[in-house]
Amino acid sequence: MNTKLLYIKEDLSNLDELEPIARAMDKGQVVCFPTETVYGLGARYDLDEAVKEIFRVKGRPQDNPLILHESSVERMAAYYKDWDKVAETLTAAFCPGPFTLIMEKADDLKTVASAGLNTIGLRIPDHPVAHALIKYLGRAIAAPSANISGRPSPTNGSDAYEDLAGKVPYIVVADPSRVGLESTIVSWVGGKLELLRPGGISAKQIGDALIKAGIDPLDLGFKVFSMEDYEKESKPRAPGMKYRHYAPRANVHIIKGDNLEDKLSYIKEHIDQGSIGLKPGFYISIELNKRLSDNPWPVLTFEDTADHHAGSHYLFTAFRELDREACSDIWVENLDFNGLGQAYMNRLEKAACKTLRDPSQGPHL
Ligand code: TXA
Ligand code: MG
């Protein structure tokens, strides 16, 4: 298949070129498009064959549901069975943005995107290109991240092209995704509020928004899922979350330590023990790199700030870049949980995770 690239101009003056792409989606085509979190692989949610094609292209198991993308809270609400003050509060605070809300789906909502579950996840992307595409379609786009299952999500056009060239008819390219990690996923089902995947919106922001609206998060049993929780669940709610993913080809290792000195010793220990790998690569802060003098191996650095924005923004790009450098092992600095830190550590732990992988199931995301 010939893959056409459509470049959206910075001043957005050629957004109307998305209309023919929407018409191709009406015919069942699957299209890669940018959002502010990561690039998505989208189809009309109501065309079963088109949605199934997403699963095929990604190599994603059919039991792992897709989320839908809409353009306003009012439209989003129509896909759910009920709408209440919690849903109202969270969507008012975080939509549009990197926030996905899972609730029971409306009885008449028929889509293979939900993979047979009675719940559905929706979000409103904060991106003009995604909005224009939804507008031209006049309905929701079902879209997972545009990576091939198990790989890091693409956050720019060339990373999307790396995974999808020859597999989809169109890739729409705009700026690199602003956030660089996928949305925060919150499930509000059966009176329980659970944060299933940390992302661009932090648990603290969610708690604060609820409190501001006079809702005590503890009354909703607000819970943040950890890796251990996933391991304990016999039937995971989000099947895709249980296995190793976001992973480059190289082995990923976390550089542990509470401060730069500890992290430096951690690296040196592995070098001294000969366990640093045949061709190690590093993804570390500028500060840590300054202390790692005479390092002969590839290093990508980020400017670390309290909210860890840059570290998170470039994480997936760095995985792919160090793979292209043919690194055998990638050593990545751990960060604290401030700002985007929790989402960063979640992706990093899963990329580094060896034990959780169930080979009979393959990678899931
Ligand atoms: O930022 C994002 O969320 C990106 C962009 C493209 O919007 N999308 C994305 O989709 O990351 P995906 O499919 O790669 O990750 C969505 C996750 C999967 O782990 C899936 O299992 C889970 O959400 N999920 C979807 N619907 C669900 C549901 N009804 N119940 C539980 N988990 C669900
Ligand atoms: Mg994904």
Side-chain angles (χ1 to χ4, degrees):
M1 181 187 295
N2 182 21
T3 299
K4 290 195 196 88
L5 292 161
L6 168 62
Y7 289 92
I8 300 296
K9 294 183 183 152
E10 228 178 283
D11 64 3
L12 304 176
S13 58
N14 65 335
L15 275 184
D16 57 350
E17 291 181 42
L18 288 167
E19 176 151 28
I21 293 189
R23 298 296 71 86
M25 291 171 84
D26 286 340
K27 295 192 187 124
Q29 303 272 33
V30 167
V31 166
C32 175
F33 66 101
T35 85
E36 84 283 23
T37 55
V38 299
Y39 277 56
L41 184 60
R44 262 179 58 166
Y45 84 97
D46 55 339
L47 298 181
D48 284 358
E49 283 312 312
V51 177
K52 283 184 193 162
E53 175 68 5
I54 295 178
F55 285 91
R56 271 195 293 274
V57 169
K58 254 184 93 83
R60 175 162 170 148
Q62 301 262 343
D63 67 347
N64 189 3
L66 310 183
I67 62 169
L68 309 188
H69 299 69
E70 257 297 354
S71 57
S72 71
V73 172
E74 200 185 4
R75 292 178 65 99
M76 182 175 169
Y79 295 78
Y80 300 117
K81 187 174 188 143
D82 304 307
W83 191 253
D84 59 15
K85 193 173 170 195
V86 172
E88 185 62 45
T89 302
L90 295 176
T91 52
F94 306 121
C95 297
F99 177 80
T100 299
L101 181 63
I102 293 173
M103 293 200 296
E104 247 181 277
K105 69 181 173 70
D107 290 334
D108 57 355
L109 177 65
K110 301 270 179 287
T111 172
V112 294
S114 63
L117 298 180
N118 64 351
T119 55
I120 190 81
L122 278 112
R123 82 176 191 95
I124 304 176
D126 185 15
H127 199 290
V129 174
H131 270 265
L133 204 52
I134 296 165
K135 185 191 84 185
Y136 283 125
L137 278 178
R139 69 200 81 212
I141 301 177
S145 51
N147 53 293
I148 296 300
S149 222
R151 302 266 299 138
S153 302
T155 58
N156 58 62
S158 54
D159 287 352
Y161 190 79
E162 182 178 69
D163 278 17
L164 297 175
K167 296 186 176 132
V168 296
Y170 298 102
I171 298 177
V172 183
V173 181
D175 290 346
S177 300
R178 176 172 55 81
V179 181
L181 298 177
E182 305 83 350
S183 61
T184 298
I185 300 185
V186 164
S187 163
W188 173 228
V189 177
K192 274 202 310 195
L193 191 70
E194 292 170 326
L195 196 157
L196 297 182
R197 178 176 76 184
I201 302 294
S202 68
K204 180 170 183 324
Q205 282 174 285
I206 292 167
D208 288 350
L210 292 168
I211 290 166
K212 208 170 142 201
I215 304 166
D216 185 345
L218 294 178
D219 289 344
L220 313 179
F222 187 38
K223 179 172 163 43
V224 178
F225 263 59
S226 65
M227 287 295 271
E228 291 71 38
D229 291 322
Y230 291 125
E231 282 177 279
K232 270 185 241 144
E233 289 236 313
S234 55
K235 189 176 182 297
R237 229 141 324 159
M241 295 178 178
K242 201 172 174 186
Y243 308 100
R244 178 179 194 251
H245 46 243
Y246 311 119
R249 292 183 192 93
N251 296 313
V252 177
H253 310 272
I254 303 174
I255 301 170
K256 297 189 177 138
D258 290 337
N259 53 52
L260 292 177
E261 277 319 308
D262 289 354
K263 291 174 190 175
L264 193 64
S265 319
Y266 192 85
I267 297 171
K268 291 209 162 131
E269 254 167 51
H270 283 276
I271 294 174
D272 293 346
Q273 287 166 6
S275 53
I276 198 81
L278 279 178
K279 183 179 177 186
F282 294 84
Y283 181 60
I284 52 182
S285 62
I286 293 169
E287 287 307 309
L288 182 57
N289 189 39
K290 273 191 202 148
R291 297 182 188 219
L292 194 66
S293 49
D294 300 327
N295 171 20
W297 297 302
V299 182
L300 297 174
T301 58
F302 56 89
E303 190 186 345
D304 198 22
T305 47
D307 66 356
H308 306 310
H309 176 83
S312 304
H313 176 78
Y314 293 112
L315 178 68
F316 286 153
T317 324
F319 281 162
R320 285 177 180 264
E321 189 108 14
L322 292 167
D323 259 354
R324 280 182 218 117
E325 297 253 4
C327 290
S328 60
D329 296 78
I330 302 177
W331 294 80
V332 185
E333 182 171 349
N334 77 344
L335 300 176
D336 65 38
F337 271 20
N338 284 330
L340 286 161
Q342 191 174 14
Y344 170 97
M345 287 308 295
N346 169 271
R347 304 309 187 273
L348 177 53
E349 275 170 14
K350 287 185 184 182
C353 157
K354 293 175 189 73
T355 52
L356 266 187
R357 188 173 203 171
D358 174 349
S360 71
Q361 304 259 354
H364 266 240
L365 273 190

